Amino acid sequence: MSSPGAAKESHIDVLIIGAGPAGVMCANALARAGVRVRIVDKRSEGVSAGQADGCQPRTMEILQSYGLADQVFKAGAQIWRAAFYNPGTNGGVERVSRGAAVGLPQARWSFGVTLSQGRVEDVFVASMKEHADELKDPQAYANTVVLERLGHQDNATETVYSRFVLGSDGAHSWVRKHLGIGADGSVTNSIWGVLDIQATSDLPDIRNMTNIHSAESGTLFIIPRERDLVRVYVQQPDDSEFINPETGRADKTRASPEKILEQANKIMRPYRIDINDGLVDWWTVYVVGQRVAERYSIDDRVIIAGDACHTHSPKAGQGMNAALGDSHNLGWKLAYVLKGWGAMSLLRTVSYESERRKFAQDLIEFDKKWSKLFISKPQSSTDPTGVSHKHFMEMAKTFAGFITGLGLRYGSSTIINPEYQTLASGLVVGERVNPQTFIRAADGQPFEIQDLLPADLRFKVLVFGGNISIQGDLGRLKEVAVAMDASESFLRRFGHGDSVFDVLCFSSAKQETAEYLDFPTFFRPHWSKVFLDDVDITGRVGGEGYAKYRIDSHAGAIAIVRPDGYVGMLAPLSIHGVSAITAYFEAFLL
Amino acid sequence: MSSPGAAKESHIDVLIIGAGPAGVMCANALARAGVRVRIVDKRSEGVSAGQADGCQPRTMEILQSYGLADQVFKAGAQIWRAAFYNPGTNGGVERVSRGAAVGLPQARWSFGVTLSQGRVEDVFVASMKEHADELKDPQAYANTVVLERLGHQDNATETVYSRFVLGSDGAHSWVRKHLGIGADGSVTNSIWGVLDIQATSDLPDIRNMTNIHSAESGTLFIIPRERDLVRVYVQQPDDSEFINPETGRADKTRASPEKILEQANKIMRPYRIDINDGLVDWWTVYVVGQRVAERYSIDDRVIIAGDACHTHSPKAGQGMNAALGDSHNLGWKLAYVLKGWGAMSLLRTVSYESERRKFAQDLIEFDKKWSKLFISKPQSSTDPTGVSHKHFMEMAKTFAGFITGLGLRYGSSTIINPEYQTLASGLVVGERVNPQTFIRAADGQPFEIQDLLPADLRFKVLVFGGNISIQGDLGRLKEVAVAMDASESFLRRFGHGDSVFDVLCFSSAKQETAEYLDFPTFFRPHWSKVFLDDVDITGRVGGEGYAKYRIDSHAGAIAIVRPDGYVGMLAPLSIHGVSAITAYFEAFLL
């Protein structure tokens, strides 16, 4: 197909196959890190409508850590309330409750955001272009991929030598299949139709996330979206005509938006939903299937992420979130290995694969229970054996940490060390840092601590230094400073200048009495690096940070936060603590 | 100078002379309104450093109403705390107090923002370019201005015919002088040096707004800025060598950053300030003068704004704020006249000139008192007759509404009608709307009311409709809807489609019981137009809006908010109230 004269060669660090959410997010993270990255896709353009569309609260925090949350907030719709309808005494459905869509008090943003996958991808692609960069010393180019540009007259091929290949090419991943990685799982017989429409409806909750369980016709799920759209998931009858009797699979050619809408109107009786001006932004039909890939990489050189690793039902809104979470977890690890700062073990089973495959397995387990609950018959006056609303809400509460992403906890490993957990039980090792406002000591400006933990590739060394207004506390903090400044400390051994660590110091002292100049000079290479646990000067935000993290206001603690915002370890505020941190980093930093 | 062949002619709506803050802000407001506007300046580029640099809290609200606050927040520095130093017992100065820089509880943003004038101008220019637009029916081109491009080889001239000319060409306004408008005032003998530097200092408040009053050497004022800069205003001795003895004026050639710094170090003893790496971003010397132009326009066709109208000392940080306030006040009025929606009286003495000249006179009066206080000798153990810190703080409190811009109240006029003030004493007619969060009825999303009042040229009709969950209240609200929908109502007579009015309805009902579908259909042409006075579903924000605005939760009220965010009138929630509003608009809308 290709003429030899047109053959081209190139050498890069990471070749990403598949420009969906997992692909573009990883590409952006790597480009920001100064890694030479290239992303290819068999589609020549992004997705303009449909597909995954929800950003859970933890995903918004992650986007914020890349400076990208604002754009998604601006373009997306917010979901604050969730409503539940069950069979009523009127022969149709009636509302049984309405409450917060995100009920967790530790949420920084207590709402979900919906925005089409294509728009979210655009945000990453735009950011990536800003960070295009050159590269470091080459290592082995272990992978060779021949690219062929489809649909172009010349059909020129290009041979790409890359150190790593990331397969983020979706549920039917070519990369996964090419590598012979199995993806075991099961397919349910639950078939769903999906519509993205501008709707006219007399349902009072049409702009809320709404679950409707009918007595006889199945369930329906409404998600409000940007541009006045709503997404409606509509369960189809078990003997749905959308199933191709020959293949047993969902067959879009046998379905239509009108048929899906007809079923929706059966379920939500006595309410009605209609399509404004007949505008259907996107629609599809699918059968729920759940699978997890048996491995996430081959020889640590070809890695897979996103839907290539796991598929599940879209009902809990995890699709895009799980994919973005994979890449957020992988990005910094790949960058560390490529820059020569981190050991290959960061990619191996002890880290990326073990953390994210465990998550995917939990996700599938959750999804099975959740999906089953969804399609179970609801309790009603005629069917007392159905699922009660109380049970449904209890399950929703149980799974809230999972659904929002805020409850994700990575298990113990080389890079997750819970040994000193008791020093700060409100800063859970393996979890992300709960939001809390601290006051910058020099100028009194309040800062949300999450905004002090950007995805800038650095480990954050959060030194909770006790009360600097008290001589004893200050004396110990100075000792810690000396230990951290010593040549054998992790800062000097693995810091690569200021590239790997950012040290921030938080005192339990109050701004009434403490000056920023009171902090040991070691902790203020710049005036902006030292903070107080206090209410801001206007009395609106902040305060009680030590108490919320359950850190002793004198004894203090040191927290190591990974570049992806997860607490890696805690250590005592002491010379011994500095040694323990050094030992932690020795295991995977170079 | 020009060759006849190169002569060019153009016809526009508004020619703006002077691309400082007042000019670019007005140009942006007009471009957004679809007005043909052209801005010229004798400078070919913007100001990159120095000059005005502070945005007061009201200015940030105004920028937000144009969607531009985020950019200024991102680039600027925030000022949260103010510190005061007086002569101490150590022979030098010592801190007497430190508190909130913006102490007013009604502030939406309780801090100041500093950013160079040039960067703020850039924000407006970029926004303006996005809104470049074509135009409506021409009226008379009353003004003819011949432009000559300086420093270009061809020196081509261009004749510009415009309906209006805005002179925003600064303190030495060519336009003002050309029109023979006097600007009376006085010059003090207080001479100041100003430095924008990156500083090294042992003063603990170097990143706070800091007033230092020395016993013998005068006063000094520190304002932290973006890019780690601080601005230092340094009072010079009365016999300063910076005064040219021949002219009696400040003479920059006789001054230097080093000399200003030397004086600063005298004042702030025992503390020291030095310049990092000798980097001086900008510096100048000046003598304080206060002037107000005797008129703001000639024949309503040539109008002046900003420093062309008023000059005063920079100490209270009003310079750029006053200029932006002028243009914010003028922009919508010019647009209304040009679009044929508003009477010429909007520009005449009853409105732009009367509102803003009154403000400038108040500003000058304030500035005289404030400046005097600044250079008065402080009370000390050796000088008990000096100004006490208590007195200084009392004055600061008195002037806080003025300094922040949040206390500005436009007096009664055709467009400011306080007749029904008692219906909502927390919504002060003539003042901007105090921040308050309401809950969108359809989806429970909380909204800051100020964000429902964008500078989109529309009058906002805020219908506080009582409790829609109560039949009596709902019945009255329906009557009001009928009256507003009638052909004789202001909405139909002056609405120009949806161009002039945006109607929003706020019920005192709670989301527990009220559905958005309960609002009369008239108030929900779109689901997003109706709100509840309630706490958001997660319990974090909102609630008590009726109480804070002191509106009866059943009787309600209607508030008319001008396009610039100031309350124009209040009216009863009744058919009579709708008639009163129609009469109000009859006086100046077409």
Side-chain angles (χ1 to χ4, degrees):
Chain A
M1 294 270 287
S2 63
S3 64
K8 231 180 104 183
E9 285 191 3
S10 53
H11 289 75
I12 55 169
D13 293 327
V14 183
L15 174 68
I16 298 180
I17 298 174
V24 294
M25 182 174 198
C26 197
N28 174 56
L30 294 173
R32 282 169 59 104
V35 165
R36 281 190 322 189
V37 61
R38 177 133 168 222
I39 185 163
V40 296
D41 198 297
K42 59 185 179 187
R43 301 174 305 180
S44 58
E45 288 183 10
V47 179
S48 64
Q51 305 211 9
D53 67 348
C55 292
Q56 298 291 0
R58 174 56 190 157
T59 301
M60 293 311 305
E61 292 179 354
I62 292 173
L63 288 168
Q64 172 79 354
S65 75
Y66 290 90
L68 302 176
D70 281 355
Q71 296 171 58
V72 174
F73 280 132
K74 261 183 198 156
Q78 298 182 8
I79 301 182
W80 285 76
R81 298 192 302 204
F84 299 88
Y85 287 71
N86 265 359
T89 50
N90 57 0
V93 296
E94 63 183 23
R95 188 168 70 206
V96 283
S97 78
R98 183 163 70 188
V102 177
L104 294 176
Q106 73 268 38
R108 176 173 182 184
W109 291 293
S110 50
F111 51 87
V113 177
T114 48
L115 184 62
S116 76
Q117 175 180 326
R119 290 294 301 275
V120 175
E121 288 166 9
D122 291 346
V123 168
F124 284 111
V125 170
S127 169
M128 181 170 57
K129 284 179 181 164
E130 278 176 29
H131 291 93
D133 205 56
E134 78 315 313
L135 166 81
K136 339 284 140 198
D137 310 318
Q139 303 164 354
Y141 291 93
N143 302 290
T144 305
V145 173
V146 178
L147 300 178
E148 190 168 338
R149 190 167 294 187
L150 296 172
H152 276 245
Q153 275 197 319
D154 57 2
N155 283 336
T157 59
E158 176 180 357
T159 306
V160 176
Y161 299 92
S162 73
R163 295 182 193 154
F164 294 96
V165 170
L166 177 66
S168 50
D169 49 348
H172 305 291
S173 172
W174 171 86
V175 175
R176 188 188 68 221
K177 289 173 189 160
H178 182 74
L179 297 174
I181 298 177
D184 290 334
S186 57
V187 174
T188 67
N189 57 1
S190 160
I191 179 166
W192 293 78
V194 191
L195 296 174
D196 279 353
I197 54 173
Q198 287 194 352
T200 302
S201 177
D202 55 0
L203 186 80
D205 291 294
I206 190 72
R207 296 302 309 174
N208 298 311
M209 187 167 75
T210 301
N211 290 267
I212 300 178
H213 295 243
S214 72
E216 301 297 336
S217 306
T219 71
L220 177 151
F221 188 42
I222 295 170
I223 302 181
R225 296 193 42 171
E226 77 278 16
R227 294 184 288 125
D228 271 3
L229 295 169
V230 292
R231 169 164 292 189
V232 191
Y233 290 99
V234 187
Q235 188 185 2
Q236 303 299 315
D238 289 350
D239 60 347
S240 169
E241 60 177 316
F242 301 169
I243 300 278
N244 184 321
E246 290 178 21
T247 63
R249 291 178 156 192
D251 181 348
K252 197 173 168 184
T253 64
R254 302 170 61 92
S256 73
E258 293 71 27
K259 288 178 184 169
I260 297 171
L261 197 71
E262 192 188 326
Q263 176 68 10
N265 277 308
K266 263 192 206 160
I267 297 170
M268 64 192 281
R269 231 170 7 103
Y271 300 103
R272 270 204 66 79
I273 184 167
D274 289 295
I275 304 175
N276 276 5
D277 308 322
L279 176 86
V280 177
D281 201 56
W282 181 77
W283 71 280
T284 196
V285 292
Y286 68 89
V287 168
V288 173
Q290 285 122 341
R291 289 193 300 198
V292 182
E294 62 188 12
R295 306 176 56 183
Y296 274 25
S297 73
I298 294 289
D299 298 335
D300 303 320
R301 286 296 188 173
V302 182
I303 302 166
I304 55 176
D307 287 357
C309 300
H310 38 70
T311 60
H312 41 85
S313 84
K315 228 65 84 294
Q318 294 305 309
M320 183 158 57
N321 297 276
L324 296 177
D326 285 349
S327 288
H328 182 55
N329 184 291
L330 176 62
W332 70 271
K333 294 171 182 172
L334 260 180
Y336 266 61
V337 169
L338 282 162
K339 286 172 177 286
W341 301 343
M344 280 294 279
S345 63
L346 284 171
L347 301 176
R348 234 163 250 164
T349 48
V350 293
S351 183
Y352 168 68
E353 178 169 322
S354 67
E355 291 188 337
R356 296 305 296 179
R357 191 160 181 273
K358 170 70 165 54
F359 164 78
Q361 287 170 324
D362 294 346
L363 172 60
I364 300 300
E365 282 314 300
F366 150 73
D367 189 47
K368 282 181 181 168
K369 290 180 195 159
W370 190 242
S371 299
K372 192 178 161 197
L373 203 64
F374 243 88
I375 58 169
S376 298
K377 291 240 164 158
Q379 200 173 55
S380 66
S381 50
T382 55
D383 186 358
T385 63
V387 175
S388 74
H389 178 61
K390 184 157 169 282
H391 178 65
F392 193 90
M393 294 306 285
E394 278 167 3
M395 292 292 276
K397 203 168 169 184
T398 303
F399 290 130
F402 207 95
I403 294 173
T404 59
L406 299 175
L408 172 61
R409 185 184 305 178
Y410 291 128
S412 297
S413 71
T414 319
I415 59 172
I416 294 291
N417 176 0
E419 180 180 355
Y420 293 103
Q421 179 64 72
T422 52
L423 292 176
S425 54
L427 270 179
V428 182
V429 177
E431 293 193 5
R432 105 312 179 206
V433 174
N434 276 328
Q436 173 62 27
T437 299
F438 289 91
I439 307 302
R440 193 159 61 184
D443 63 357
Q445 181 171 341
F447 280 83
E448 166 51 48
I449 195 169
Q450 290 194 347
D451 290 336
L452 302 174
L453 311 172
D456 63 359
L457 272 198
R458 292 189 290 181
F459 282 84
K460 310 305 181 299
V461 181
L462 310 182
V463 178
F464 292 91
N467 189 334
I468 56 163
S469 298
I470 290 173
Q471 277 311 316
D473 288 13
L474 183 60
R476 188 186 42 228
L477 187 57
K478 284 180 180 167
E479 285 173 19
V480 169
V482 169
M484 286 174 76
D485 206 17
S487 61
E488 67 271 25
S489 114
F490 63 96
L491 281 182
R492 304 295 160 236
R493 287 179 57 195
F494 308 116
H496 297 275
D498 288 332
S499 300
V500 171
F501 300 109
D502 188 18
V503 180
L504 302 170
C505 192
F506 301 80
S507 173
S508 58
K510 304 300 168 205
Q511 55 181 336
E512 178 83 20
T513 47
E515 305 300 330
Y516 85 101
L517 295 171
D518 296 343
F519 283 81
T521 50
F522 172 80
F523 291 110
R524 42 186 178 83
H526 190 264
W527 58 266
S528 64
K529 296 290 182 185
V530 291
F531 297 83
L532 301 172
D533 181 18
D534 200 358
V535 180
D536 88 83
I537 194 98
T538 69
R540 297 187 182 186
V541 291
E544 300 295 318
Y546 270 65
K548 284 180 203 157
Y549 291 160
R550 276 171 251 148
I551 297 172
D552 184 275
S553 60
H554 297 293
I558 304 175
I560 304 298
V561 181
R562 307 179 350 178
D564 57 0
Y566 290 83
V567 181
M569 90 172 290
L570 292 167
L573 181 70
S574 66
I575 296 170
H576 167 69
V578 175
S579 302
I581 296 168
T582 300
Y584 164 82
F585 283 119
E586 266 173 350
F588 60 94
L589 289 191
L590 304 176
Chain B
M1 295 273 283
S2 65
S3 63
K8 230 181 107 183
E9 285 191 3
S10 54
H11 290 73
I12 55 168
D13 293 327
V14 183
L15 174 67
I16 298 179
I17 298 173
V24 294
M25 182 175 199
C26 197
N28 174 55
L30 293 172
R32 281 169 60 102
V35 166
R36 281 191 320 189
V37 61
R38 177 132 168 223
I39 186 161
V40 295
D41 198 296
K42 59 185 179 186
R43 303 173 304 181
S44 58
E45 288 184 9
V47 179
S48 64
Q51 306 213 8
D53 67 348
C55 291
Q56 298 291 359
R58 174 56 188 158
T59 301
M60 293 310 305
E61 292 179 355
I62 292 173
L63 288 168
Q64 171 79 354
S65 75
Y66 289 91
L68 303 176
D70 281 354
Q71 296 172 58
V72 174
F73 280 132
K74 262 184 196 153
Q78 298 183 9
I79 300 183
W80 285 77
R81 299 192 301 204
F84 301 88
Y85 287 71
N86 267 359
T89 50
N90 56 359
V93 296
E94 62 182 25
R95 188 167 70 204
V96 283
S97 79
R98 182 163 71 186
V102 177
L104 294 175
Q106 73 267 37
R108 177 171 182 186
W109 291 293
S110 51
F111 51 88
V113 177
T114 48
L115 184 61
S116 78
Q117 176 180 325
R119 290 295 301 274
V120 175
E121 289 166 9
D122 291 347
V123 168
F124 284 111
V125 171
S127 169
M128 181 170 58
K129 283 181 183 164
E130 277 176 28
H131 290 94
D133 205 57
E134 77 315 312
L135 165 81
K136 340 285 140 193
D137 310 320
Q139 301 164 357
Y141 291 93
N143 302 292
T144 306
V145 172
V146 178
L147 301 178
E148 192 169 335
R149 190 165 294 187
L150 297 171
H152 275 245
Q153 275 198 316
D154 56 2
N155 282 335
T157 59
E158 176 178 358
T159 305
V160 176
Y161 299 93
S162 75
R163 296 180 191 155
F164 295 96
V165 170
L166 177 66
S168 50
D169 48 348
H172 305 290
S173 172
W174 170 87
V175 175
R176 188 187 68 222
K177 288 173 190 162
H178 182 75
L179 298 173
I181 298 177
D184 290 334
S186 57
V187 174
T188 67
N189 57 1
S190 160
I191 178 164
W192 292 77
V194 191
L195 297 174
D196 280 354
I197 55 173
Q198 288 194 354
T200 303
S201 177
D202 55 0
L203 187 80
D205 291 295
I206 191 71
R207 295 303 307 175
N208 297 310
M209 187 167 74
T210 301
N211 290 266
I212 300 178
H213 295 243
S214 72
E216 300 298 337
S217 306
T219 70
L220 178 151
F221 188 41
I222 294 170
I223 303 181
R225 295 191 44 168
E226 78 276 16
R227 295 184 289 125
D228 270 3
L229 294 169
V230 292
R231 169 163 294 188
V232 190
Y233 290 99
V234 187
Q235 188 184 3
Q236 302 299 315
D238 289 350
D239 61 347
S240 169
E241 60 176 318
F242 301 170
I243 300 279
N244 184 323
E246 290 177 21
T247 63
R249 290 179 157 189
D251 182 349
K252 198 173 167 182
T253 63
R254 302 172 60 91
S256 73
E258 291 71 26
K259 289 177 184 170
I260 297 171
L261 197 70
E262 191 187 329
Q263 175 68 10
N265 276 309
K266 265 192 205 160
I267 297 171
M268 64 193 280
R269 237 176 356 109
Y271 299 103
R272 273 203 63 79
I273 184 167
D274 289 295
I275 305 175
N276 276 4
D277 306 323
L279 177 84
V280 178
D281 202 54
W282 181 77
W283 71 280
T284 195
V285 292
Y286 67 90
V287 168
V288 173
Q290 286 123 343
R291 290 192 302 195
V292 181
E294 61 187 14
R295 305 175 58 183
Y296 274 26
S297 73
I298 295 287
D299 298 337
D300 303 323
R301 286 294 189 176
V302 182
I303 302 165
I304 55 177
D307 288 356
C309 300
H310 38 70
T311 58
H312 41 85
S313 83
K315 229 64 83 297
Q318 294 304 308
M320 182 157 61
N321 297 276
L324 297 176
D326 285 350
S327 288
H328 182 55
N329 184 291
L330 177 62
W332 70 271
K333 294 171 182 173
L334 261 179
Y336 265 63
V337 169
L338 282 162
K339 286 173 175 285
W341 300 344
M344 279 295 278
S345 63
L346 284 171
L347 301 177
R348 235 164 251 165
T349 47
V350 294
S351 184
Y352 168 67
E353 179 170 321
S354 67
E355 289 188 338
R356 295 305 295 179
R357 192 161 179 274
K358 169 72 165 55
F359 164 77
Q361 287 169 324
D362 294 347
L363 172 59
I364 301 299
E365 282 314 301
F366 149 72
D367 189 46
K368 282 181 181 168
K369 289 180 197 160
W370 190 244
S371 298
K372 194 176 160 199
L373 204 64
F374 243 86
I375 58 169
S376 298
K377 292 240 162 156
Q379 201 174 55
S380 66
S381 50
T382 56
D383 185 359
T385 64
V387 175
S388 74
H389 179 60
K390 184 158 171 278
H391 178 64
F392 193 92
M393 294 306 285
E394 277 166 7
M395 292 292 276
K397 203 170 171 184
T398 303
F399 290 130
F402 207 94
I403 294 173
T404 59
L406 300 174
L408 172 62
R409 185 185 302 179
Y410 291 129
S412 297
S413 72
T414 319
I415 59 173
I416 294 291
N417 177 0
E419 181 180 353
Y420 293 103
Q421 180 63 73
T422 53
L423 292 175
S425 54
L427 270 177
V428 182
V429 177
E431 293 192 4
R432 108 305 182 210
V433 174
N434 277 328
Q436 173 63 29
T437 299
F438 290 92
I439 306 303
R440 192 158 64 183
D443 63 358
Q445 182 172 341
F447 280 83
E448 165 52 49
I449 195 169
Q450 291 194 345
D451 290 335
L452 302 173
L453 310 172
D456 63 358
L457 272 198
R458 292 190 290 181
F459 282 85
K460 310 305 180 301
V461 181
L462 309 183
V463 178
F464 293 91
N467 189 332
I468 57 165
S469 298
I470 290 174
Q471 278 309 315
D473 288 12
L474 183 60
R476 189 187 42 229
L477 187 57
K478 284 181 178 165
E479 285 173 19
V480 169
V482 170
M484 287 175 74
D485 206 17
S487 61
E488 66 271 22
S489 113
F490 64 96
L491 281 181
R492 305 293 160 239
R493 287 177 58 196
F494 309 117
H496 298 274
D498 288 332
S499 301
V500 172
F501 300 109
D502 188 19
V503 180
L504 302 171
C505 193
F506 302 81
S507 172
S508 58
K510 304 298 168 210
Q511 57 180 336
E512 176 84 21
T513 48
E515 304 300 331
Y516 86 101
L517 295 171
D518 296 342
F519 283 81
T521 51
F522 172 81
F523 291 110
R524 42 185 178 86
H526 190 264
W527 59 266
S528 63
K529 296 290 183 186
V530 291
F531 297 83
L532 301 172
D533 180 18
D534 200 359
V535 180
D536 88 82
I537 195 100
T538 68
R540 297 187 183 185
V541 292
E544 300 295 318
Y546 270 65
K548 284 180 204 160
Y549 290 161
R550 278 171 249 145
I551 297 172
D552 184 276
S553 61
H554 297 292
I558 305 175
I560 304 298
V561 181
R562 305 178 352 176
D564 56 1
Y566 290 83
V567 181
M569 90 171 290
L570 292 167
L573 182 70
S574 67
I575 297 170
H576 167 69
V578 174
S579 301
I581 295 169
T582 300
Y584 163 83
F585 283 119
E586 265 172 351
F588 60 93
L589 289 191
L590 304 175

